[in-house]
Amino acid sequence: MANRYFNVSGSGGNSNIELLDPGDGVNNTKSILITNTHSTEEATVSLYIKSATTTTQTGSTWFLIKSVAIPTGASLFLDDPAMLSFDNRKSDGYGLYASVGASDTVNIIMR
């Protein structure tokens, strides 16, 4: 998988962001680096997978991390293959999403 880069800001209604859409064909994520870029405040971050919503089922959510506080200028590095392994190949598979607090700003790098 090529690196993917995201700037996530809780302001302006962008507190939830889709990192991988179901069907993106990515099933070999090696690591995710989440860095708090806010100059004075800690960031509260959740990372979750969600099954696709179809005409016959409502998507279910499973949290990889939930409401984790990342101090100013610090990073959280996730690299456990068991945690990052999920089926993203099919459009009815799973997507990967992140959410942050209302005033938080973070960078996310996926490899």
Side-chain angles (χ1 to χ4, degrees):
M1 173 178 118
N3 289 351
R4 293 180 179 224
Y5 304 91
F6 302 90
N7 295 313
V8 182
S9 173
S11 63
N14 189 25
S15 62
N16 292 289
I17 187 167
E18 182 178 77
L19 304 175
L20 293 174
D21 186 40
D24 274 354
V26 176
N27 64 347
N28 61 344
T29 301
K30 305 274 189 262
S31 63
I32 299 174
L33 178 67
I34 305 169
T35 302
N36 180 357
T37 58
H38 196 283
S39 60
T40 59
E41 300 291 331
E42 70 180 20
T44 303
V45 180
S46 296
L47 189 66
Y48 56 96
I49 59 174
K50 185 175 180 179
S51 59
T53 301
T54 66
T55 56
T56 59
Q57 74 176 32
T58 301
S60 297
T61 301
W62 295 272
F63 284 90
L64 304 176
I65 61 171
K66 182 164 176 51
S67 301
V68 172
I70 301 175
T72 300
S75 299
L76 175 64
F77 184 66
L78 305 171
D79 66 346
D80 183 342
M83 176 191 285
L84 301 175
S85 176
F86 60 94
D87 185 2
N88 179 254
R89 295 171 291 168
K90 301 177 184 174
S91 61
D92 62 349
Y94 298 90
L96 179 65
Y97 303 85
S99 65
V100 299
S103 63
D104 298 336
T105 56
V106 300
N107 289 339
I108 299 175
I109 301 173
M110 296 176 55
R111 181 172 166 227

